[in-house]
Amino acid sequence: MNRKHHHYKGAEVSCCVKYFLFVFNILFWLLGATFLAVGLWAWAEKGVLANLSSITDLGGFDPVWLFIVVGGVMFVLGFAGCIGALRENTTLLKFFSVFLGLIFFLELTAGILAFVFKDWIKDQLNFFINNNVKAYRDDIDLQNLIDFAQEYWSCCGAHGPDDWNLNIYFNCTEPNPSRERCGVPFSCCVKDPAEDVINTQCGYDVRLKLELDRQKYIYTKGCVGQFEKWLQDNLIIVAGIFVGVALLQIFGICLAQNLVSDVKAVKANW
């Protein structure tokens, strides 16, 4: 009896692991809920929730999808980890660790494939950007995302300003009645430090000029090349972020598995 009693008392759930995992996941859960709420609010503002078929109407990428998908995954993971830790529920804890492990494996696989198939990834990035150039005026969130990317990386189009011929408002064909014909969005323009107010018409007719003259007014480098250059210049920071995220995921899996082992050990002595 004494040996059994001693063994029972030796098997206990670690309070540090339990509540650390709980706090970690409740923050994760709340952040996921925030992302999800922002995404749903954005869709509600655009009328997507009133007409779900409009989700497929956009020819390009809707940035709201990022908030919906990332928020949804974080919400589910946070819920499973939080409730699993608080209630010492091994089913939810196993789901949390397996799901987190699957995400880690997918990230690792994507990283390896991106390194091995660099040229294919570059082609897909080019295709992705050009598709979104076509849909530039179709969605305000997409428009803001493209403008931000072109301003941040000092670029214009996927490979250059002439990629904007793909857009019906900016193409240079004679029948095009748009005032923006043969132009580019204002985010392609070289900023004048003396201007406090953004001139949204700075890109009008700029592609009618000669190549050397264009450089005075707009960025002439493509966003694919500028993005590659940015990655090379910030390789240590980008790699550090990915390693940090990976370590957090591994740490979360280890904590969950540790708690599962503790719970099983305690139940084995009942």
Side-chain angles (χ1 to χ4, degrees), residues 5 38 48 51 61 65 76-77 84 151 176 180 193 211 216 230 241 251 261 267:
H5 181 67
V38 169
V48 173
N51 179 22
F61 170 71
W65 272 110
V76 171
L77 268 178
E151 288 179 337
N176 183 10
E180 294 176 309
E211 184 70 29
K216 301 174 185 176
W230 179 84
I241 291 171
F251 184 59
S261 298
K267 286 183 177 179

Side-chain angles (χ1 to χ4, degrees), residues 186-217:
F186 72 92
S187 52
C188 285
C189 296
V190 176
K191 300 296 178 291
D192 183 352
E195 288 184 352
D196 293 328
V197 180
I198 296 173
N199 178 11
T200 56
Q201 299 179 359
C202 60
Y204 283 11
D205 303 320
V206 75
R207 285 190 294 116
L208 292 173
K209 301 177 187 294
L210 295 174
E211 184 70 29
L212 287 174
D213 291 332
R214 288 184 188 180
Q215 295 178 11
K216 301 174 185 176
Y217 302 99

Side-chain angles (χ1 to χ4, degrees), residues 143-241:
Q143 184 175 312
N144 289 335
L145 180 63
I146 292 173
D147 286 335
F148 170 79
Q150 291 190 146
E151 288 179 337
Y152 185 79
W153 282 301
S154 302
C155 59
C156 192
H159 285 114
D162 288 330
D163 287 337
W164 283 97
N165 269 327
L166 295 168
N167 188 279
I168 59 172
Y169 298 99
F170 295 97
N171 74 64
C172 257
T173 55
E174 287 295 334
N176 183 10
S178 172
R179 178 62 189 87
E180 294 176 309
R181 176 180 171 271
C182 291
V184 292
F186 72 92
S187 52
C188 285
C189 296
V190 176
K191 300 296 178 291
D192 183 352
E195 288 184 352
D196 293 328
V197 180
I198 296 173
N199 178 11
T200 56
Q201 299 179 359
C202 60
Y204 283 11
D205 303 320
V206 75
R207 285 190 294 116
L208 292 173
K209 301 177 187 294
L210 295 174
E211 184 70 29
L212 287 174
D213 291 332
R214 288 184 188 180
Q215 295 178 11
K216 301 174 185 176
Y217 302 99
I218 61 171
Y219 305 121
T220 55
K221 293 180 180 178
C223 290
V224 174
Q226 290 294 87
F227 178 67
E228 284 183 324
K229 183 179 180 297
W230 179 84
L231 275 180
Q232 290 172 359
D233 293 342
N234 297 276
L235 191 59
I236 295 175
I237 296 172
V238 173
I241 291 171

